[in-house]
Amino acid sequence: MNFSLLEGFHSKWQDILVIGKTTERNGIKYHIVGMTLSDEAKLYIIEPYMEPKSRNRKGIRNHRRMLKEHERHGYSYLHCSDLCLGDVHLKIQGGMGSPMDSDNYGMIQLFFDMMGAGWTVPGWLKDIDWENLMLLTLNIAEVSKLPHLTPQTPIAITHRPNPIQHIIEKTVTLNVGKSRSFCFVDNHGDEVLCHINSVALIDVWKNTEEELNDPKLAERFSPEQLKEAAKHSYDALEQCCPKGMCYIGIEYECSKNYDLTFYSKQYLKSRPETHQGSSHFLMMRLKPDQETGTHGLPLKGCVIQTPVPPDTIKIPAELFLYYERVDEWTETILLK
């Protein structure tokens, strides 16, 4: 520590607004601390921090384990879009979440300043270890003065649509050229029916070449840009899918509006490869030609990006996870 670092942690607020409101949803508590105004306005919310259980496990670090380690944390307020304090409407423009750290002097100063402005730490929060908490800092756009609050001022927070990821790990055997149906139980305990309408091998080299030669691209990009895009695409293919190999395309219907992600057993068991020089990755998506499948449900697509020989017939795979779509919704909080 030196004084230069200390100066960097010191913040001078033009104004501080204490909110000090605890909300509870699904048995989990969240605390809206308040707002500060300096060069820009910020809103601070404390949430529980739950590190994925698989992160501390011993054993082989394969793709399955890595996918579980990177399971997205559901920060409940990180994807908010609007904040209304009474009649004052504020626009949220992004933010960040970080585990609370007793070595973060800027964070400690923030809480001291909030206490100095009248914030009282709620009883339920006092004895929770900081390693189990997350501080969200949300940026508020175009604010020159913080609003005034009274005990009766309603607070409304609008949450953006943000898909929720659920890991399921259900074994599914896929057969090229054949359809099949199966069930799985979702996070709500409901039985969900999935119809796989088609399983096909994709010649990604041929598809990439056709896409790069599309005349419409020449109308939108310069020759230099197209050359750079082609280099990046082919470098990625060289690393991820050698020429002559294929990816697996799946078209499916689901009785609930879920987006499914399949992986091959081979990929999940394998360890990440290391590449010399720059590492490239080409993300592929499959959009079915029809909007509705043979069972009258929305038809969706998924690509298993594991290279397989062009004569592959059977693929041991897993429905590894699904995304649950969430509509935009507004949460109303009344100060007491």
Side-chain angles (χ1 to χ4, degrees), residues 12-31:
K12 293 183 179 180
W13 315 116
Q14 296 176 24
D15 197 5
I16 294 179
L17 173 66
V18 173
I19 297 177
K21 175 62 180 176
T22 294
T23 65
E24 184 172 344
R25 283 187 283 114
N26 299 322
I28 300 176
K29 292 183 178 180
Y30 309 86
H31 188 74

Side-chain angles (χ1 to χ4, degrees), residues 3-191:
F3 283 105
S4 177
L5 288 172
L6 197 62
E7 284 182 330
F9 288 122
H10 180 62
S11 298
K12 293 183 179 180
W13 315 116
Q14 296 176 24
D15 197 5
I16 294 179
L17 173 66
V18 173
I19 297 177
K21 175 62 180 176
T22 294
T23 65
E24 184 172 344
R25 283 187 283 114
N26 299 322
I28 300 176
K29 292 183 178 180
Y30 309 86
H31 188 74
I32 305 172
V33 181
M35 296 177 63
T36 60
L37 177 65
S38 53
D39 295 335
E40 57 184 350
K42 296 184 182 295
L43 172 69
Y44 304 94
I45 301 176
I46 295 174
E47 297 194 348
Y49 173 64
M50 293 165 285
E51 190 174 26
K53 295 178 181 178
S54 59
R55 187 161 294 174
N56 297 319
R57 290 179 183 170
K58 297 180 180 180
I60 298 174
R61 198 162 184 269
N62 55 19
H63 282 110
R64 181 188 300 277
R65 180 174 172 180
M66 290 183 65
L67 286 166
K68 288 185 175 182
E69 287 178 357
H70 291 90
E71 183 178 359
R72 189 169 58 193
H73 189 287
Y75 305 137
S76 295
Y77 290 91
L78 187 58
H79 300 282
C80 294
S81 59
D82 298 89
L83 170 68
C84 289
L85 301 175
D87 296 330
V88 180
H89 179 255
L90 304 172
K91 197 73 177 176
I92 298 174
Q93 290 188 332
M96 62 176 292
S98 57
M100 288 176 54
D101 183 0
S102 58
D103 292 330
N104 187 325
Y105 299 102
M107 191 177 291
I108 292 173
Q109 183 202 334
L110 168 68
F111 292 132
F112 275 141
D113 290 343
M114 283 289 176
M115 290 176 184
W119 177 54
T120 301
V121 181
W124 67 269
L125 190 59
K126 286 184 177 181
D127 296 323
I128 297 179
D129 197 293
W130 275 25
E131 68 179 15
N132 298 317
L133 297 172
M134 171 80 61
L135 179 67
L136 302 189
T137 303
L138 304 179
N139 304 318
I140 309 297
E142 300 178 357
V143 173
S144 57
K145 182 180 179 181
L146 296 183
H148 176 69
L149 289 185
T150 70
Q152 289 74 38
T153 302
I155 300 175
I157 299 178
T158 300
H159 297 254
R160 290 190 185 96
N162 184 42
I164 302 173
Q165 174 183 297
H166 301 287
I167 292 179
I168 189 167
E169 298 179 284
K170 180 176 178 62
T171 294
V172 179
T173 300
L174 304 173
N175 291 281
V176 175
K178 293 185 178 181
S179 61
R180 62 160 299 177
S181 298
F182 65 91
C183 295
F184 66 91
V185 178
D186 68 8
N187 191 59
H188 304 285
D190 298 332
E191 188 174 76

